[in-house]
Amino acid sequence: MIVLTTLIGVGQGLFLALYAGEWYMRIHSGLRDSGEFYVTASVLSVGLLIAGLVASFFHLGRPERAWRSAAQWKTSWLSREVIVLPIVVALVALYGAAHYVASSPDIAPWLVQRYWTLWIGGVATAAVLTLFLCTAMIYACIRFLQEWATPLTVFNYTLLGSASGFTLATALAQHYAAEMTLFFGVWAVVVTLVALATRVASLIRNTRSRRKSTLQTATGVKHQHITQRSQGLMGGSFNTREFFHSASPAWLQRLMWLFLLLVFPVPILLIVAGLSVKMTGILTAAFVAQYIGLLAERWFFFAQAQHPQNLYYQTMG
Amino acid sequence: MTQLALVIDLNVCVGCHACVTSCKEWNTSGVAGYLSDDRPYGEDPTGTFFNRVQTFEVGEYPNCETVHFPKSCLHCEDPPCVPVCPTGASYKRPEDGIVLVDYDKCIGCKYCAWACPYGVREIDTHQKVMKKCTLCIDRIYDEALPVSERKPACVLACPTSARLFGDIHDPDSNVSVAIREEGGYALMPEWGTKPANHYLPRRKTRIRIHEDELVRSDNPLKKERERPVGPVREQTLDDVTSW
Amino acid sequence: MTCPGSVPPNTASKSMTAYIPESQSETGITEVKNTTCYMCACRCGIRVTLRDGEVRYIQGNPQHPLNKGVICAKGASGIMKQYSPARLTRPLLRRPDSERGDAEFEPISWDQAFDILEQRLHRVRDTDPKRFALFTGRDQMQALTGMFAKQFGTPNYAAHGGFCSVNMAAGMIYSIGGSFWEFGGPDLERARLFIMIGTAEDHHSNPLKIAISQFKRDGGRFISINPVRTGYSAIADEWVPIKPGTDGALLLALINELIKQGLYDREFLIQYTNAAELVNLREGNEFGMFVRTEVPEEEGCFDPQNKLWWDRITNRPVVTHSKGADPRLMGEFALDDRTPVKPAFQLLVERVKNYTPEWAAHVTGVPADTIRRIAHEMGIVARDQKIELPIPWTDVWDNEHETVTGNPVAFHAMRGLAAHSNGFHSIRALSLLMTLLGTIDRPGGFRHKAPFPRPIPPCAKTGTGPETVRPNMPLEGMPLGWPAEPDDLFVDDDGEPVRIDKAFSWEYPLSVHGLMHNVITNAWRGDPYRIDTLMIFMANMAWNSTMNTQRVREMLNDRDETGEYKIPFIVVCDAFQSEMVAFADLVLPDTTYLERHDVMSMLDRPISEYDGPVDAVRVPVVPPTGECKPFQEVLIELGARLKLPAFVTKEGSRKYRDYPDFIVNYETEPGSGIGFLAGWRGKGGEKFMRGEPNPNQWQMYEKNNCVYHYRLPRSYQYMRNWNKGYLEWAQRHRLIRYAEPINVHLYSEVLQQFRLAAQGKTEYRQPPERLRERIATYFDPLPFYFDPLESQQTGKRMYPLKAVTQRPMAMYHSWDSQNAWLRQIHAHNYLYMSPAVGRQGGFDDGDWVWVESMWGRVRCMCRFSEAVEPGTVWTWNAIGKASGAWNLEAGANESRKGFLLNHLISEELPPGADGHRLSNSDPVTGQAAWYDVHVRVTKAEAGAHETHPQFKTVRPLPGMKARPKSWLAFFAGGKR
Ligand SMILES: Nc1nc2c(c(=O)[nH]1)N[C@H]1C(S)=C(S)[C@@H](COP(=O)(O)OP(=O)(O)OC[C@H]3O[C@@H](n4cnc5c(=O)[nH]c(N)nc54)[C@H](O)[C@@H]3O)O[C@H]1N2
Ligand SMILES: Nc1nc2c(c(=O)[nH]1)N[C@H]1C(S)=C(S)[C@@H](COP(=O)(O)OP(=O)(O)OC[C@H]3O[C@@H](n4cnc5c(=O)[nH]c(N)nc54)[C@H](O)[C@@H]3O)O[C@H]1N2
Ligand code: SF4
Ligand code: SF4
Ligand code: SF4
Ligand code: SF4
Ligand code: SF4
Ligand SMILES: [Mo]
């Protein structure tokens, strides 16, 4: 899940960056880009999305039946994600292909100066945003996972994915299309800062929120002092393995600071530095740092969620 | 509309685990196949069970209660585990409200388990599908069984009959009456899941002793006391006044 | 069935939309058979569904009188017992080059096994039969094993009672002629107030659970007296935490308060107990005995009605039960010959005078107000909520009664009372309390189960001297019995024991169930003598049924100077690879309960109900596994080979084809019409209790849910100690010898006789000097309170806590750790204690701690709990296992994290000044004092990660099924 959401997040963000870059370029300079950049970046984006998809398969008990998971689009955000993700992949691929075609006059010269890529990109953007929504809603819709059940989750998923995408785009641009580096870099910083705002907002919200479920509501016994003596099993169960992490609160705290550092200030500094010395390496480092930070962020996101079921699985005895 | 459910009477549950193993026993050879056990004879044995009995301590010594607390799928009327399932494997039967998993459709994504606040779904580590209490659907409708036994295995097993089974939408059913009359309640009402299973709270019987019950005319001690016989020698009122 | 690591055919893909199996061809061939559960000694009726010959489902039999269709956690896990990889399947002989305990065995054939046994036992019987000792554990066939021992000629036989709950049996049977345990129980159907003392799970587990919940639902009030609040106590309306070993004080204080308030049933005491009988208080050899009328009646094992009352109307002594008399319960009188006398009740009043609630509060930790209130609750409910059932009956004195009266206060108690060295007197106190309230065999109170009530004490007697043991002859007398006076003791001329366990000796005169817990130690020490062959059936004596476990394991493997084992030959009959099996020279693999015939006989402990005698059988539902053979068949074969009279014809040839044949045809005496089974006797099954053998008896049991239930006429169901109709019925059906009243022994003359002997006042046999004081002290005719023996000798400052165990409902002793489902519920155990103990010792919940007694120490993990009296620590019994036993992996929780409290408990008290050792047991009954141990708890060293002690891992035995490596998926049948 951690890998899935972060990988497709980058993939989606990268596409958004590309598409934004294309508009920027068209509006500001009418400049036609290096097709190589768009194509490479699109391929990368598609690659990331597919990698995410594959990662999610591994997490299934029965991957061979994965196709069934598209069935419940009416109710299940997971199902919707499963439907939207391939559409996004297809659209981004199409977008990349369009750029390829557009930048290769010898294939279909009549396509070259048209706005096809923008049209396709527009549709793909809608799809990408939908995908962000779907992915985030998978978590945000579980109302009793209070840390997740907030619109901030959608913002965070979207913004953090976008930020990492823009950062990656900055590094790519430095290599393939230096003229766009600054645009991407600036926006990478801006998106990262906005993401910081929403992420911090959600952290604050979560530390402040009061748990609605307590041992009292879980058991229906009204008394201040309730402790579990035994959970009826001693070798562990699905419920003790799936919803618990062995991390201590102190470790979680450290993890939080780590991701706050790696996702936000470190990449920003590196982007600024990379932009000023125009070195792909530094910009790549910015992305790598941010991605690692995002892995930590996602880990934290899952670990921080206190599942009410845990109330029932406190003590072996 | 029918909503079948269990009502669990914490007032009499002694935490014997009969419901736990009888459930395992019935279901492991049931229509849906085995419930696997990992490291059955080794370290940290662990397996798939539909029903567990937990124990809580309430209060502090000596004003302390021990509460045994059995828990299986509550067959929520608004089950959060169902809509999230991407395959439709998790579903709620309209005809009787039982929430089931179709093992043939389940992809083992565990999303439903995350969406259940009660921690009652367990993935079978070997069959790789999500499992949970079926309300013994393969017993309760089996016409080959005598009517008295068309009940969940755990209900038949329970030595204290702490587990009642019936339709909570039928106001006259045993379960509805119990919920109404014994103060039945649902777990974690705050999430609006409307669990069909209910719990009946502890009830206390006290005896009030009135002081006069200790001073009764038929006290047998009276039979043992000597009645004073003959005249007393000391002064009596007779000696000092004549009215 | 079990398919380790593979998916059973077609099960995974069976569509959940088709819930109900369409046809048998799809699900396999199913059949349903009735039998009796033996996942514990409760003996519920079960219905076993088989699919393609494999056990698919075990449920309670709804038509069974005992469990009425319910089942418990163990019962419902029978499948995992049947197919357990810990099962023994072949006879095994210890490899000559290996040590006992190493569990190195060669498989042998049954023929070889029988040859070895025959040779050996023949020699023993030829020379000195008592050198063969047969001890059995939680079995239900004492009638057969006891008979085998008697036929063999050895007195050295007993079952688990001595280390289990003999105090309960003896304390109550010597008082009211019946007892809790399998002999009687509380009538919760009619009770309004129920007091449960020291019971966690009980023998009668399912019926008790059914009854308690019904009782609560009917609005009854339930009080539990127990240092720990789990299980039943959890649902009590009031929990009265008490310091272990102090219940006697509480009960005596309750009696004190009841008497003080006059809250006793005077009528009942007078008519049905010896409370009003006059006790002789003239110094001399009759001191403390009842005064008897001139005409001596013929005495048998019953109470002749030749004692006196002091009539308050005539102010003169009269013969008890004289018409029109109204005796005094209190006072002090002089007979015409100036003999000072007091009614027994007066002596009780004097006895409890100082046992005030305040005094008891100090001893027990229960506030005096609580004690008083509970006494008032009992007394007032008994007095004011009387039950009158419109059932006319006649008492033995020919008084006609229009109704049966009940005072609806019921009690139940088990090992929390019994398993202390002062348990006998605590239980006597309980019997007296129940009697004072007038609740004996009355509705809403205590109810007997056939064959109880029995005379006080029951008639069965052991031999009385060494001459009863003779080569090649059956034993004279029974191996176990009920001494009524010192002359009944089983001792030699010096007053020293004849039995290896020293039962019925002056050390433990009323040890009516023997002292199995001392057999190994005594045999090892050769005190009173060395034995040759020790045969253990169904008892894990190298583990949980032994005290001082570590040392006992050493004794089992110890040799004398000549290099011979101190216990030369050990035979173990078990169904599983228990810890004990490792110490056997010869292992006999038993069948499981699903594979054999068994009887729950009237000659042993039947499953009788309050309303009449019930016995039951077990019939095989699956064939024996491997070469497993029922132990019954082993005994019958051995009996024939050794030519024990009961097992061979006059000509000396084998008499019984097999066990089922034996059960049908055996009669206690030719033509007696009494056999193991009471139902469907007579040629065509038309008789019960007595009648000629019926060749179709088994089939008739099978057809009737494996139960024979005789319902007594309603007028015979109550007041059976004094119910003329019942007593005559019981005599007619040979349940009892005399149809004489069984008056409650509020005051115990039996005990007084032993005391008089100890005081040297009688011509009876005299105890050895070293035991005089002990007998004189503990054979008090009225209950009294004393600190448990071990407590008298331990530094309470050094060891401030008491440690007890209790049974988990989902485990039976040590034998369920091989059960894949049950062991998930209790894989290991913790030591539970009040958080205050941790606070003092500087450790936290879940920490590793050392628990030390003056006998040893164990390391384990602790858990804090509010539901325990702060001076008590406790753990679940017998969860800990020796490494590798029960075919568990070496890393199994049971051996690495689980522990056994028994390492801290000694089978003997510290030696006396004279070097003599006494068993750590009740001085009256020899009941093992499991719950007397004092401990201290300290934080363990950092890095501790497993329990201590650890034992060398034993390897799986030949013939045992390989355990599934990683996982198990049980699916019965499944040839779809
Ligand atoms: N610390 C502590 N120790 C205690 C107690 C306590 O409360 N605290 N309780 C004591 C009491 S009351 C008792 S009764 C004893 C019980 O102690 P045991 O009688 O030793 O009981 P189990 O451990 O069940 O062992 C019985 C043996 O029977 C075997 N067995 C099971 N089924 C069969 C069968 O069908 N056939 C044969 N042949 N063998 C079979 C098992 O494998 C096991 O080895 O423990 C005593 N020990
Ligand atoms: N599930 C299951 N059932 C069993 C068994 C089993 O192993 N498992 N074993 C069977 C056998 S052999 C037996 S003997 C019976 C025994 O049945 P119980 O007598 O119910 O068994 P214990 O677990 O020894 O229960 C002792 C209880 O007494 C309490 N206690 C200890 N000391 C004292 C005291 O001084 N005063 C008071 N008031 N309470 C005290 C303990 O806390 C515990 O709750 O159970 C039988 N039934
Ligand atoms: S079977 Fe009944 S009494 Fe036992 S734990 Fe389950 S609900 Fe409670
Ligand atoms: S208890 Fe959990 S699994 Fe059962 S219906 Fe409710 S939400 Fe679903
Ligand atoms: S694990 Fe199975 S039942 Fe649960 S949500 Fe996934 S597909 Fe649905
Ligand atoms: S109803 Fe059936 S499946 Fe559900 S807990 Fe009871 S026995 Fe198990
Ligand atoms: S109480 Fe349980 S284990 Fe014991 S006989 Fe009954 S069903 Fe079997
Ligand atoms: Mo026992």
Side-chain angles (χ1 to χ4, degrees), chain C residues 233-367:
Chain C
S233 305
I235 61 168
D237 294 304
E238 182 174 351
W239 173 46
V240 180
I242 188 168
K243 291 185 190 152
T246 66
D247 301 74
L250 176 70
L251 293 162
L252 289 163
L254 289 168
I255 293 176
N256 168 308
E257 181 67 16
L258 285 176
I259 294 178
K260 192 171 138 207
Q261 299 293 347
L263 288 170
Y264 54 85
D265 186 334
R266 181 170 187 273
E267 232 3 73
F268 187 83
L269 286 173
I270 289 171
Q271 291 301 321
Y272 306 118
T273 80
N274 62 17
E277 292 175 9
L278 299 178
V279 178
N280 185 332
L281 294 175
R282 184 195 290 277
E283 278 305 324
N285 61 3
E286 284 293 307
F287 181 86
M289 302 296 286
F290 286 114
V291 183
R292 279 151 225 264
T293 50
E294 268 79 90
V295 237
E297 281 182 38
E298 185 212 346
E299 301 214 7
C301 76
F302 64 91
D303 249 339
Q305 298 300 301
N306 55 355
K307 323 232 169 47
L308 299 178
W309 285 347
W310 195 274
D311 183 22
R312 52 194 284 273
I313 299 159
T314 57
N315 205 20
R316 284 204 42 81
V318 293
V319 174
T320 62
H321 297 95
S322 301
K323 284 260 171 328
D326 184 18
R328 284 201 182 276
L329 282 174
M330 297 184 195
E332 199 177 342
F333 313 97
L335 299 182
D336 292 346
D337 64 357
R338 302 268 191 89
T339 307
V341 295
K342 285 181 186 173
F345 194 75
Q346 172 66 30
L347 297 174
L348 177 67
V349 172
E350 291 166 19
R351 167 56 49 86
V352 299
K353 196 160 139 242
N354 293 325
Y355 293 138
T356 60
E358 278 69 22
W359 166 84
H362 180 71
V363 180
T364 61
V366 181

Side-chain angles (χ1 to χ4, degrees), chain A residues 281-295:
Chain A
I282 298 181
L283 291 172
T284 309
F287 170 72
V288 172
Q290 193 164 38
Y291 185 73
I292 294 173
L294 278 181
L295 289 177

Side-chain angles (χ1 to χ4, degrees), chain C residues 38 81 137-138 160 163-165 415 537-541 544-546 573-576 578 590-593 596 805 807 812-815 877 886 901-902 905 930-931:
Chain C
Y38 196 7
K81 178 175 204 162
R138 285 306 297 127
H160 68 284
F163 60 58
C164 180
S165 321
R415 296 187 61 260
F537 167 60
M538 215 191 255
N540 196 357
M541 290 297 288
N544 65 298
S545 47
T546 201
C573 176
D574 206 304
F576 299 94
S578 70
D590 200 1
T591 44
T592 63
Y593 69 108
R596 65 176 180 246
T805 60
R807 279 124 179 75
Y812 200 64
H813 295 293
S814 65
W815 83 32
N877 191 40
W886 306 94
L901 200 73
N902 303 42
I905 304 170
W930 296 101
Y931 298 163

